[in-house]
Amino acid sequence: QVQLVESGGGLAQAGGSLRLSCAASGLTFSTTTMAWFRQAPGKEREFVAASRSSTYIANYGDSVKGRFTISRDNPKNTMYLQMNSLKPDDTAVYYCSGRAGGILTFPGAYAYWGQGTQVTVSS
């Protein structure tokens, strides 16, 4: 019933930008904490960014602070991740996720997950 669908991934040059989107359905989006995680081959799933019901309260992983910005449009049930100054180390599958309650940085805390979208950054 709950669906999270990511889009906007693709190939970017180092130093370039991409914007990811996550369209949500089957949940009360406005009261759901939403987050982005990423996972590269052979690595653990890594916290990227999260937002409460509005981006007044948001948190970012250390590796993306100052480069990525999370936002959300509650009437559209959509969350975004603006990624600037991309680096090859940003290459990963990016996942949209959601949970009840506040922001946490551990994947196991999130009940809802999208299918992922591939981001590849070339040097």
Side-chain angles (χ1 to χ4, degrees):
Q1 189 71 268
V2 174
Q3 281 193 295
L4 302 176
V5 181
E6 302 95 336
S7 61
L11 178 65
Q13 302 282 353
S17 298
L18 287 172
R19 190 179 77 157
L20 306 183
S21 298
C22 172
S25 61
L27 52 76
T28 305
F29 184 80
S30 62
T31 61
T32 301
T33 293
M34 302 296 296
W36 292 97
F37 289 81
R38 66 187 185 185
Q39 189 165 24
K43 295 185 177 181
E44 297 294 318
R45 192 161 294 191
E46 177 188 20
F47 175 77
V48 176
S51 171
R52 290 294 302 272
S53 59
S54 77
T55 51
Y56 179 78
I57 299 175
N59 196 17
Y60 296 90
D62 289 342
S63 63
V64 306
K65 286 180 180 177
R67 300 189 297 121
F68 292 8
T69 303
I70 190 170
S71 63
R72 61 194 293 163
D73 188 338
N74 287 341
K76 295 182 179 179
N77 288 358
T78 303
M79 174 180 66
Y80 305 95
L81 184 69
Q82 179 66 46
M83 305 186 293
N84 297 326
S85 301
L86 285 164
K87 305 174 180 179
D89 284 350
D90 295 320
T91 296
V93 176
Y94 283 70
Y95 295 93
C96 175
S97 62
R99 72 182 303 272
I103 293 172
L104 295 172
T105 60
F106 305 98
Y110 288 79
Y112 311 119
W113 292 88
Q115 81 287 351
T117 185
Q118 177 71 47
V119 171
T120 302
V121 183
S122 62
S123 60

